[in-house]
Amino acid sequence: MAKISVIGTGYVGLTSGACFASLGHEVVCADIDPDKVACLNRGEIPIVEAGLEALVEEAVEAGNLSFVLGAASAAAEAEFHYLCVPTPQSEDGSADLTYLKAAAAEIAPVLRPGSVVVNKSTVPVGSTTVVAEALDRDDVFVVSNPEFLREGTAVADFLDPDRVVIGGDDQDAAVRVASLYAKIAAPILITDPLSSELIKYASNAFLASKLSYINAIGELCERVGANVDDVVKGVGADHRIGSNFLSPGPGWGGSCFPKDTVALRRIAKDAGYEFNFLDEVLNINEEQFDRVAQKIANSATSKKVAVLGLTFKAGTDDLRNSPAIEVIQRLIDAGLDVCAFDPVIDETALEKSCPGLAVSLAADPYSAASDASVVGILTEWPEFAELDFAKLNEVMEAATIVDARGLLNAKLLGRRGFRYRGISS
Ligand code: UDX
């Protein structure tokens, strides 16, 4: 088994480190934040990821996972060095590689000859060269190994991936990285760095395109009077399209899709190709936020509206680029008083991620809905399908539900005295 250093302990770095350790490798994870390192050394996992806490605990117990402060101290003994640092979106839409270059520069002096530095973070096409220049070492290799981890299911996505993609100019270095995944039963594609980096962006932008397309079809269903659930079922039945990742919603968000779709647009522009299609994918997503906010506002018969769900999707505590926040902002701008509830978000988290957002936070769904004339469901938390709807009806001033996630049964709610509006009704 191999010695691996993982630089950055966010949901990609911590998940990758813990999963590599569970595969038997010896892993040292490093972070720049002393509080985060102390928290991890206390066995506290600062992110919501199914199965991660148990994996970390087991690997720390087994002695093949540890946490240190600073990239250099992790890299000193390792053969493989995974860069899992943030690559945020810059003003001009390109990915900001400041952290990536800083991490490379920090480990460069301590790298053993023959080491392999691996880009796991989502980086623009051509970043392997950028990292090689930052390392300024001709006796180490740089390889691209993009992550395809969805928040909330990152452990499952790492240990049971659809594919592992590795991009290296040096074939031997690429094969050495591939060997780290020997225990994982998934196809391994070894290609060049540029192709590997582009696969990541092309995949995310395609998934975002698929969602914008089905959201536009949802709008069209409402306008022509078609049944969106049946249309989605009929379209998804074609194996070339597939029913996965085809659920209309309030729009797509998160820390990756918006950033990666804009970044791909920029990468294409810098390469002299105007990828106008992606402009429309992004526009439709903005329009979807408008549509859902409009649907809630039009259903309101008083100033107070309630929103259930703040995170960008269920199973995570991430508010970054959340469609729910986009919709709430539009409702506030329309002069409505918004009260929200989310099972994993408290005032502190909301203020940290969305400072100054003029929404009140309730302790439970019924308090949020109290005296509201409409409840909007914006995140598909399973508990929202199990609400006591008789009690909900009782506390609301008027009983309209806008279900932007297709979570509830329209007929059942009709029988409970609710006016139900779905994403296309
Ligand atoms: C995404 C990619 O899926 C993953 O491969 C990549 O590595 C990181 O970015 P993530 O951002 O965690 O993962 O979220 P994902 O589960 O892909 O959902 C993205 C957005 O699409 C969410 O807002 C989600 O609610 C929305 N979505 C997803 C839909 O609206 N409908 C669907 O059917 C699926």
Side-chain angles (χ1 to χ4, degrees):
M1 287 300 155
K3 287 191 174 183
I4 300 172
S5 78
V6 174
I7 315 303
T9 58
Y11 91 94
V12 173
L14 186 56
T15 301
S16 301
C19 289
F20 272 136
S22 76
L23 295 174
H25 300 300
E26 193 176 314
V27 180
V28 182
C29 291
D31 204 285
I32 199 167
D33 176 351
D35 294 339
K36 199 164 192 189
V37 174
C39 168
L40 289 166
N41 278 320
R42 290 194 301 271
E44 294 161 22
I45 305 301
I47 51 176
V48 173
E49 275 303 339
L52 184 58
E53 186 162 352
L55 217 56
V56 168
E57 196 177 318
E58 198 180 309
V60 168
E61 276 293 301
N64 60 335
L65 177 63
S66 58
F67 302 102
V68 297
L69 181 64
S73 42
E77 301 302 317
E79 177 188 356
F80 297 92
H81 309 276
Y82 270 78
L83 303 184
C84 301
V85 294
T87 53
Q89 183 177 321
S90 300
E91 282 297 308
D92 65 3
S94 63
D96 176 355
L97 300 186
T98 308
Y99 301 107
L100 193 74
K101 288 186 253 184
E106 187 180 340
I107 63 174
V110 301
L111 291 182
R112 298 175 160 212
S115 294
V116 183
V117 176
V118 186
N119 279 347
K120 178 60 85 173
S121 302
T122 303
V123 291
V125 175
S127 298
T128 307
T129 310
V130 171
V131 170
E133 284 164 2
L135 290 169
D136 194 21
R137 290 271 300 258
D138 56 10
D139 59 347
V140 301
F141 304 96
V142 184
V143 167
S144 160
N145 176 210
E147 54 90 5
F148 299 99
L149 309 179
R150 290 166 297 168
E151 288 193 37
T153 57
V155 171
D157 291 343
F158 189 101
L159 295 175
D160 184 20
D162 291 331
R163 75 305 206 184
V164 175
V165 174
I166 296 167
D169 287 321
D170 181 278
Q171 186 65 8
D172 177 55
V175 168
R176 285 165 61 198
V177 173
S179 72
L180 299 176
Y181 295 90
K183 286 187 181 171
I184 287 183
I188 295 187
L189 170 64
I190 293 183
T191 180
D192 64 273
L194 299 175
S195 305
S196 172
E197 289 156 349
L198 187 54
I199 287 168
K200 169 67 188 178
Y201 281 105
S203 302
N204 267 10
F206 179 84
L207 290 167
S209 307
K210 186 175 182 183
L211 293 177
S212 277
Y213 178 81
I214 205 64
N215 283 334
I217 291 293
E219 173 64 14
L220 188 54
C221 285
E222 180 161 8
R223 289 171 183 274
V224 302
N227 178 313
V228 66
D229 295 331
D230 290 351
V231 169
V232 168
K233 214 177 283 172
V235 168
D238 185 317
H239 74 278
R240 295 166 303 173
I241 299 169
S243 55
N244 282 340
F245 231 79
L246 202 60
S247 307
W252 39 267
S255 63
C256 297
F257 276 10
K259 169 175 71 74
D260 293 355
T261 306
V262 168
L264 183 58
R265 178 77 183 75
R266 180 75 213 197
I267 289 165
K269 190 175 180 65
D270 292 349
Y273 173 60
E274 291 300 337
F275 204 155
N276 299 314
F277 169 79
L278 292 181
D279 288 330
E280 207 37 44
V281 169
L282 290 157
N283 290 340
I284 289 172
N285 203 42
E286 288 295 315
E287 287 165 5
Q288 195 70 359
F289 302 149
D290 298 338
R291 285 189 199 118
V292 172
Q294 201 61 49
K295 201 178 280 276
I296 293 170
N298 291 346
S299 308
T301 51
S302 65
K303 261 179 82 83
K304 185 182 172 183
V305 299
V307 158
L308 300 184
L310 291 171
T311 54
F312 83 95
K313 65 172 184 175
T316 175
D317 60 351
D318 202 338
L319 290 168
R320 286 177 289 180
N321 301 305
S322 171
I325 302 296
E326 292 284 347
V327 169
I328 287 171
Q329 187 55 65
R330 285 162 173 78
L331 293 172
I332 294 166
D333 295 347
L336 293 165
D337 296 334
V338 186
C339 186
F341 167 76
D342 185 290
V344 299
I345 298 295
D346 61 16
E347 297 276 0
T348 313
L350 186 59
E351 187 53 30
K352 185 164 175 259
S353 187
C354 314
L357 185 69
V359 63
S360 51
L361 211 49
D364 62 77
Y366 308 101
S367 309
S370 170
D371 298 329
S373 58
V374 56
V375 164
I377 295 185
L378 298 180
T379 306
E380 70 288 12
W381 288 106
E383 65 186 78
F384 297 155
E386 308 301 325
L387 291 174
D388 174 344
F389 289 101
K391 180 178 175 184
L392 193 72
N393 198 330
E394 213 175 279
V395 301
M396 288 176 73
E397 188 206 74
T400 298
I401 287 196
V402 173
D403 176 9
R405 288 285 188 171
L407 196 66
L408 306 179
N409 178 310
K411 289 195 177 65
L412 179 86
L413 285 172
R415 284 200 296 276
R416 300 283 172 84
F418 285 90
R419 179 176 166 240
Y420 176 90
R421 296 195 67 189
I423 198 69
S424 293
S425 63

